[in-house]
Amino acid sequence: MSNTDIGDFLQSLNQQQNEWSFVVSDQWVITMQSLSVVSLLASLGVLAFMTHIFIRHRKYLERLSLRISGYVALADILNSITQILTLNNDLMIKQTRSGLRFILWLSMFSTLWFVFLTLCISMQLHLSTLTKIRVGIYMKLEKFYIPASLFLAVLLPGIAVGVMDGIFWIPYMHSFNWPTENWRRKLTLWMCNYVWIVLTVVYCSVVAMLLSLRIWVMWRNSVEVIEAPRMPEKWDWNSLTESARTSAETIVSSTSLLKQSAGDTNSTLIGTRRVSFDPMHSHDQASMPATGGSGRGYLLTVMRADKETGQTMAVRSYVDKKRFLRSIQRLACYPLVPIITQLGVVAMNMVDTPTKGLYIYGMALASTSGLLNLGVFLLNPALPDIWKDAALGQTL
C-alpha cells in the first residue's frame, strides 16, 4: 500500500470517527443504557410473575402463549445484559477474542431466540385462525416450537462466531468486526442472523395484517362467515362459555367418547354449529345468556366428566363472541413486537453506511423489546382468569 493510499485510509477513518462521535457521547450512552435497564426490569417482572404462575396456577401453562412469554422474558434479559455490556467501551476493549466472541454470540442468540419464539406464536395463530387444519394437528406441533427455536438460536450464532478469526472491537461504533472481505463479512452476518430476522418480520407482518382483517370480518358478521370457533391454544373453555342444561340426548358413553375424541384428553371439542342467539326468542335464556352488542355467539359441544357420577357428558355451551374474538385479538399483538423492534436493525444492515437517523431508530427500538413484551404479556387472555383464581384463593 502506497503512502497516498495510507493517507486516504487514515483520512477516511478520521472522518468516520468525527461523523459517529455522538455514539460514544455521554448523552447517547446514558439514553441507551436507560432503555436497556428499563427493558431488563420489565423482563424480570414478567419472569417473576411466570414463576408465580408456575407455583400457584400451573394449569394455565398449557397455553402456548403463556409458556412462550416466560422464555421470551429470559431472552430479553440476556439481550438487555449484552446491550449494557457493549455500551461500556472500557470493558469491551479489555476483552480477549474469546470474550468478544462469547458476548457477540450471546447478543445474537438472545435476539434470534426472541424472534423465533415470536415466530412460533405467529405460526400457531396462522394455523388455527387462518387455515382449516384440524385442531388436533396444530396442537401436536406445540411441543416442537420451543426446542426447535432454542436449537436454531444456539446453532446459527455459533456458526457465525466460529468463522470470525481475529475478531476485535470498534470503540467509536460500539460494534464488532473481524479482518475479512466485506462481502464475506456481510454474507456471514446475513445467513446466520439477519435473514432469519427478515423472514420473521415479513411473516409476522403478513400474519398480523391477515389476522386483523379476519378479526374485523368475524367481529362484523361472524355468524354468516364462520362455521365454528377454532382455539389458537389450549384455552379453558369454561372461561369463554356458559354451559347449557344437560338433556337426556347429550349423555354419551365412554366408548363413544374415545371414538369421537380420537385420543384427545381433557375437554374435547366434538361438534360445533353456528347460531344467531336472540335473547328475546330463546327457549333457554337462563342457560345461554345474551352478551352485549348483537347478542350473537357460537354453540358448541364440549365433552366433560360429571363431578358426582364420573360419567362423561357432551354439554352444549354458548361461547361469548366478544370474549372469544378479543382473546384472539390480544394474542395477535405478539407478532407486532419483532416488527417494531427489529425492522430498524434490518434496514440499518441493508446499507453500507446507515444514516444517523436510521442508526438511532434501529438501536433505540431494539433496546425496548423487554418493555414491549411486558405490554403484550399483560394483554394475554389468560391473565384475567389467573387474577380471578387468585381472588378466589384457587391454585394449581
Side-chain angles (χ1 to χ4, degrees), residues 111-396:
T111 301
L112 285 176
W113 198 23
F114 147 65
V115 166
F116 287 145
L117 288 170
T118 310
L119 177 64
C120 294
I121 295 182
S122 298
M123 291 179 61
Q124 189 77 345
L125 287 170
H126 179 194
L127 296 175
S128 62
T129 311
L130 302 174
T131 70
K132 295 290 186 179
I133 295 177
R134 292 178 58 186
V135 173
I137 295 177
Y138 64 75
M139 285 296 179
K140 289 179 181 178
L141 294 176
E142 285 188 5
K143 60 183 179 182
F144 299 108
Y145 286 147
I146 295 174
S149 63
L150 180 61
F151 174 76
L152 289 175
V154 170
L155 176 65
L156 294 172
I159 296 174
V161 300
V163 300
M164 295 181 182
D165 296 328
I167 187 172
F168 60 93
W169 180 250
I170 305 177
Y172 70 90
M173 285 290 291
H174 285 293
S175 64
F176 301 87
N177 205 343
W178 72 100
T180 187
E181 295 88 346
N182 190 44
W183 68 268
R184 193 184 299 275
R185 184 184 300 110
K186 287 187 174 182
L187 180 64
T188 300
L189 292 175
W190 272 91
M191 293 305 296
C192 296
N193 190 31
Y194 297 124
V195 70
W196 303 98
I197 297 176
V198 170
L199 292 175
T200 300
V201 168
V202 171
Y203 180 74
C204 288
S205 300
V206 172
V207 170
M209 288 188 293
L210 293 178
L211 198 56
S212 299
L213 180 61
R214 180 72 165 171
I215 291 173
W216 179 76
V217 172
M218 292 170 70
W219 195 278
R220 182 183 178 188
N221 205 11
S222 62
V223 172
E224 283 74 19
V225 298
I226 302 300
E227 294 181 357
R230 290 165 58 83
M231 51 182 177
E233 52 187 3
K234 293 179 181 177
W235 283 337
D236 179 8
W237 283 100
N238 288 320
S239 66
L240 293 173
T241 63
E242 292 291 340
S243 299
R245 288 197 298 267
T246 306
S247 63
E249 291 77 18
T250 62
I251 299 177
V252 297
S253 65
S254 299
T255 304
S256 177
L257 167 65
L258 293 175
K259 290 180 180 179
Q260 293 172 345
S261 64
D264 290 340
T265 58
N266 301 325
S267 293
T268 305
L269 181 65
I270 64 169
T272 61
R273 64 182 180 89
R274 55 186 180 178
V275 296
S276 177
F277 177 69
D278 185 353
M280 299 300 296
H281 300 88
S282 173
H283 297 291
D284 197 354
Q285 295 184 32
S287 60
M288 293 193 298
T291 58
S294 64
R296 292 175 175 178
Y298 306 99
L299 189 64
L300 65 153
T301 306
V302 178
M303 302 305 301
R304 294 195 180 98
D306 186 88
K307 293 182 179 180
E308 297 180 358
T309 64
Q311 189 175 17
T312 301
M313 297 179 294
V315 182
R316 292 169 61 197
S317 299
Y318 178 76
V319 178
D320 186 325
K321 168 190 166 183
K322 283 193 173 182
R323 288 199 64 189
F324 178 77
L325 295 181
R326 190 178 294 116
S327 297
I328 298 178
Q329 196 173 28
R330 290 184 173 188
L331 291 175
C333 293
Y334 277 90
L336 297 178
V337 179
I339 298 173
I340 296 172
T341 60
Q342 300 302 315
L343 189 60
V345 176
V346 171
M348 189 171 62
N349 287 276
M350 293 182 70
V351 295
D352 292 332
T353 304
T355 63
K356 288 183 181 180
L358 181 59
Y359 181 85
I360 293 173
Y361 165 74
M363 296 303 296
L365 287 184
S367 301
T368 62
S369 60
L371 185 61
L372 293 177
N373 279 313
L374 170 62
V376 172
F377 173 76
L378 294 176
L379 291 175
N380 193 292
L383 293 190
D385 297 330
I386 294 175
W387 300 131
K388 184 178 179 181
D389 286 356
L392 297 175
Q394 299 177 1
T395 60
L396 299 180

Side-chain angles (χ1 to χ4, degrees), residues 26-42 80 83-84 87 363-364 367-369 371:
D26 292 339
Q27 295 87 345
W28 173 258
V29 172
I30 292 174
T31 300
M32 296 303 296
Q33 284 180 337
S34 300
L35 287 174
S36 298
V37 169
V38 170
S39 285
L40 177 62
L41 294 176
S80 297
Q83 288 177 350
I84 293 173
L87 286 168
M363 296 303 296
S367 301
T368 62
S369 60
L371 185 61

